[in-house]
């Protein structure tokens, strides 16, 4: 038995870039310093916690109502940006891997912190290759808490130890490990180095790599 749980932003689609642009527009408007490097800390982090990271020491200048309004403003901009996503927006190797998993009889899920995950998945045209989708509106505790991934494993009908999580964010890698899953990290080892395997991109992941990781899990 096996299952694969994919993070969405930065793993199947580069919507991380759209999140960045939407946060940058907000930061510029309210006069808070922000750049691509600062944005790295927001990967995989839910909306309000992302805002708090963006504001940093400036957070005390704004009321709770203003912070809610900032989140709504950022999301409105993000929703505009993702309206143009099509199947061509799938990251290299993502569609091929989902198809190979389906052929191998290994169920796949998307587990994303994003409350916009379902429309993004629909725009990518991958719904028929997924057994389950879990989004940020369905859990109380954000990554690095494992709640999102544990719910995804349950929907796949798999024990956590039989699931591989694919993540591009430090908070997501931590969440997968905390849930007792094997984790493949995508990108900079400084960010995802705690994972059992680190690759440059989704196109380096194969069904054989996933099976090998789960076999390691049995013998550890
Ligand atoms: P939303 P993931 C995460 O998605 C993003 O990486 C993160 O940058 C974003 O703030 C978070 O979703 C919340 O997204 O504002 O659309 O609810 O990487 O978990 O797929
Ligand atoms: Mg991500």
């Amino acid at each position: 038995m096996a299952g694969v749980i994919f993070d969405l932003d930065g793993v199947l689609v580069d919507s991380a870039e759209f999140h960045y642009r939407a946060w940058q527009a907000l930061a510029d408007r309210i006069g808070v310093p922000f750049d691509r490097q600062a944005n790295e800390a927001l990967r995989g982090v839910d909306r309000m916690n992302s805002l708090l990271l963006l504001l940093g020491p400036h957070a005390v200048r704004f009321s709770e109502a203003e912070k809610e309004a900032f989140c709504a403003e950022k999301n409105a901009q993000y929703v505009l940006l993702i309206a143009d996503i099509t199947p061509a927006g799938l990251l290299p190797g993502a569609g091929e891997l989902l198809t190979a998993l389906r052929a191998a009889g290994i169920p796949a899920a998307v587990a994303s912190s994003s409350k916009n995950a379902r429309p993004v998945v629909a725009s990518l045209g991958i719904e028929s290759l997924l057994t389950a989708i879990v989004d940020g509106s369905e859990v109380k505790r954000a990554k690095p808490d494992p709640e999102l991934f544990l719910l995804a494993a349950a929907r796949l009908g798999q024990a956590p130890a039989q699931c591989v999580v694919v993540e591009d964010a430090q908070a997501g890698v931590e969440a997968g490990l905390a849930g007792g899953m094997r984790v493949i990290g995508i990108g900079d080892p400084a960010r995802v180095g705690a994972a059992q395997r680190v690759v440059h991109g989704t196109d380096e992941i194969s069904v054989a790599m996933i099976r090998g990781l789960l076999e390691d899990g049995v013998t550890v």
Side-chain angles (χ1 to χ4, degrees):
M1 297 289 276
V4 182
I5 302 172
F6 291 93
D7 173 51
L8 182 63
D9 296 341
V11 171
L12 298 178
V13 59
D14 192 12
S15 44
E17 173 66 18
F18 299 141
H19 281 296
Y20 163 67
R21 288 191 217 161
W23 284 126
Q24 186 71 62
L26 174 73
D28 291 346
R29 189 185 72 70
I30 64 177
V32 169
F34 189 68
D35 57 20
R36 278 183 187 279
Q37 195 186 339
N39 183 66
E40 286 298 305
L42 276 50
R43 273 180 191 265
V45 178
D46 69 358
R47 202 177 301 166
M48 180 54 81
N49 282 310
S50 291
L51 175 70
L52 295 177
L53 286 172
L54 179 149
L55 293 175
H58 300 275
V60 293
R61 288 170 38 202
F62 303 105
S63 68
E64 289 310 307
E66 282 174 309
K67 288 174 194 161
E68 290 292 347
F70 289 160
C71 282
E73 179 180 334
K74 179 268 173 178
N75 192 55
Q77 180 66 21
Y78 179 70
V79 167
L80 278 180
L81 292 170
I82 62 174
D84 292 337
I85 290 180
T86 68
L90 277 171
L91 282 168
E96 292 84 348
L97 179 56
L98 287 170
T99 303
L101 287 168
R102 172 67 38 134
I106 299 174
V110 161
S112 169
S113 305
S114 175
K115 292 175 178 156
N116 297 293
R118 286 172 190 274
V120 171
V121 163
S123 298
L124 291 170
I126 55 173
E127 279 166 313
S128 65
L129 297 171
L130 297 170
T131 300
I133 302 172
V134 185
D135 71 34
S137 65
E138 298 185 78
V139 293
K140 290 195 180 70
R141 297 176 299 277
K143 301 171 189 176
D145 190 284
E147 185 181 2
L148 196 71
F149 290 142
L150 291 173
L151 184 55
R155 287 194 184 158
L156 290 180
Q158 306 291 324
Q162 288 304 320
C163 290
V164 173
V165 165
V166 185
E167 258 291 350
D168 72 316
Q170 183 172 344
V173 171
E174 289 172 10
L177 295 174
M181 297 157 189
R182 302 270 127 182
V183 182
I184 299 174
I186 293 184
D188 187 351
R191 199 172 66 223
V192 297
Q196 282 92 358
R197 285 294 295 265
V198 176
V199 297
H200 295 102
T202 309
D203 54 348
E204 290 179 20
I205 303 171
S206 64
V207 171
M209 180 187 291
I210 285 159
R211 288 205 170 112
L213 267 172
L214 291 172
E215 282 162 18
D216 285 352
V218 170
T219 55
V220 161

